[in-house]
Amino acid sequence: MGESAPIVVPFQRPSFPDLGEVERYFHLARQAHWYSNDGPCLRLLAERLEARTGSHCLPVASGMAALMVAIAAVGARRTGREALVPAFTFPAGPQALVWNGYEPVFLDIDPGHLHLSPTALEQALAERGSRVGIVLATSSFGTPPPPPVRRAWERAAAAAGVPLVVDSAAGFGAVAADGLPLGSQGDVEIVSFHATKPFAIGEGGAIFSRDRGIIDTAHRLANFSYDEDHQLSARHGLNVKLDELHAAVALAVLDGFDEGVLGPRRRAAGELLRGLGEAVAFQEGHELGTYQFVSVLCPDDRARQRVLERADGRVELRSYYQPLHETPAFAGASRHGALDATRDAGSRILSLPMHNSLSAAERDVIVDVVALG
Ligand SMILES: Cc1ncc(COP(=O)(O)O)c(C=O)c1O
């Protein structure tokens, strides 16, 4: 009698929609002989995402592509070349700013909710004046910012006449505490449909805005800058369209999203967090998020190191986000303020596994590694 193999918990375990479910939609493209460029699947997907969020929507090829186009779509309003952005975020946002010709200026986060600090934003806008051309905030880990935080960002940006882009990459499907679905924040908001996101289609993303004109501009920029009459507009574009097959996958994923993805993830995360008790701290408002993974804060860096050692060979862990001003690509970037909360979160944050089908046995292993060791 052999012993049963020890459980090793992978960080992510993407689920795939049934091919029959995908074909149910893809046959619309097949019938229309339409592979890409606003075909029937893309149009149906945009409609369904709009119905769900209440905002206008353009699905695109990735979250990074969504950021590049969203920034370009709203960024032409101001001449200032500085971009205010939290240092505690995924590099795609600041990278997309650089591709658009901006210089990122890193701001601090709030130590409780871990999103861009409204106070830091107000101070930076007041002090840097017309040098600032854009603000890029993040719904950290896909968790909706508390409504007063969202409103403070929007007020500060509007008062300064600066466009506000919100990167809610992992947050598709989340609804803020005041009932506003993600997709309505700032002037323009983006999500990612990457393989590792709760709404996973391989590669993909979407741009949302309450302003139809912004989505129309994004639509042209995402298609070489051609307009509806196939005339080139005055701006340079790129090709980041979502093709029909990926749109069909997205439609199939959307059908099962609430029961098959959000529900199980939220239930599993709830159990996991109960199991962890007071061993670690949690992001304020995490329960409204989508749980791409489960972010916890260890008491200090040494405690985190001990967990990482205990996890070796048993649980795959990550430490998102690494403060970007500490990375080689952004080490020379400007900072506004001391970034104390960013530094502190960066030294204590730990990303725990989450999948649509995380089992009770897998949760026990995670709890054992993180809390009991
Ligand atoms: C916060 C954030 N923004 C942007 C992205 C980029 O999305 P994508 O991988 O779809 O390009 C990610 C992806 O991991 C992310 O976590």
Side-chain angles (χ1 to χ4, degrees):
M1 289 275 289
E3 283 180 34
S4 55
I7 292 178
V8 180
V9 189
F11 186 57
Q12 302 276 286
R13 188 194 290 135
S15 306
F16 293 78
D18 185 74
L19 271 188
E21 296 298 308
V22 176
E23 174 58 20
R24 229 157 54 81
Y25 293 105
F26 192 56
H27 92 101
L28 299 172
R30 207 193 300 281
Q31 273 179 341
H33 295 273
W34 206 297
Y35 243 138
S36 194
N37 291 47
D38 299 322
C41 294
L42 193 289
R43 281 184 278 118
L44 183 58
L45 176 63
E47 261 172 42
R48 293 216 175 144
L49 297 178
E50 289 178 348
R52 178 155 182 142
T53 59
S55 287
H56 303 289
C57 172
L58 176 71
V60 290
S62 73
M64 173 81 184
L67 281 163
M68 289 180 68
V69 169
I71 290 165
V74 296
R77 274 197 233 155
R78 296 257 300 194
T79 50
R81 286 289 95 194
E82 286 189 351
L84 304 183
V85 58
F88 190 72
T89 189
F90 190 74
Q95 285 169 342
L97 289 166
V98 172
W99 276 102
N100 272 285
Y102 287 101
E103 297 161 28
V105 175
F106 288 120
L107 269 51
D108 211 355
I109 53 166
D110 176 275
H113 54 67
L114 306 180
H115 309 290
L116 173 64
S117 153
T119 313
L121 177 61
E122 283 156 18
Q123 284 171 356
L125 283 167
E127 287 171 32
R128 305 182 89 91
S130 61
R131 282 184 283 158
V132 178
I134 198 162
V135 176
L136 173 59
T138 305
S139 301
S140 297
F141 310 126
T143 298
V149 171
R150 178 187 76 232
R151 287 194 283 268
W153 293 344
E154 290 175 341
R155 237 187 349 260
V162 176
L164 170 64
V165 181
V166 183
D167 176 355
S168 299
F172 178 77
V175 176
D178 59 355
L180 195 77
L182 290 197
S184 305
Q185 302 192 96
D187 294 285
V188 63
E189 183 169 9
I190 73 95
V191 297
S192 163
F193 299 154
H194 182 249
T196 56
K197 298 289 180 280
F199 193 106
I201 68 165
E203 297 284 356
I207 305 172
F208 293 96
S209 179
R210 286 165 294 179
D211 181 340
R212 177 80 248 172
I214 289 175
I215 292 299
D216 288 343
T217 304
H219 189 247
R220 286 192 292 276
L221 289 167
N223 183 26
F224 308 100
S225 223
Y226 279 114
D227 66 17
E228 300 66 35
D229 303 320
H230 214 66
Q231 298 299 310
L232 276 180
S233 64
R235 314 224 359 231
H236 291 301
L238 62 170
N239 173 14
V240 294
K241 300 186 295 291
L242 189 75
D243 63 79
E244 287 293 286
L245 184 53
H246 278 91
V249 173
L251 284 160
V253 170
L254 191 57
D255 284 340
F257 187 60
D258 291 310
E259 291 79 33
V261 180
L262 271 189
R265 281 177 183 254
R266 285 182 171 154
R267 281 193 293 279
E271 297 285 338
L272 185 55
L273 298 183
R274 267 189 292 284
L276 293 173
E278 302 199 341
V280 287
F282 311 116
Q283 177 191 28
E284 277 170 21
H286 64 84
E287 64 285 348
L288 295 175
T290 55
Y291 296 111
Q292 175 186 6
F293 41 79
V294 178
S295 303
V296 298
L297 289 156
C298 296
D300 55 35
D301 193 11
R302 284 180 49 220
R304 178 172 70 173
Q305 201 47 45
R306 284 195 298 275
V307 174
L308 288 168
E309 282 160 18
R310 285 198 298 268
D312 193 28
R314 299 171 70 196
V315 180
E316 211 185 330
L317 300 172
R318 298 278 190 277
S319 305
Y320 294 125
Y321 307 117
Q322 182 185 9
L324 289 177
H325 64 288
E326 296 171 4
T327 64
F330 292 109
S334 303
R335 301 164 203 179
H336 194 91
L339 308 187
D340 289 337
T342 298
R343 233 184 289 274
D344 179 59
S347 70
R348 299 195 290 126
I349 199 86
L350 197 58
S351 327
L352 311 181
M354 180 50 66
H355 331 134
N356 296 349
S357 53
L358 192 79
S359 68
E362 287 177 315
R363 283 200 314 266
D364 289 347
V365 177
I366 300 172
V367 169
D368 189 43
V369 159
V370 178
L372 308 175

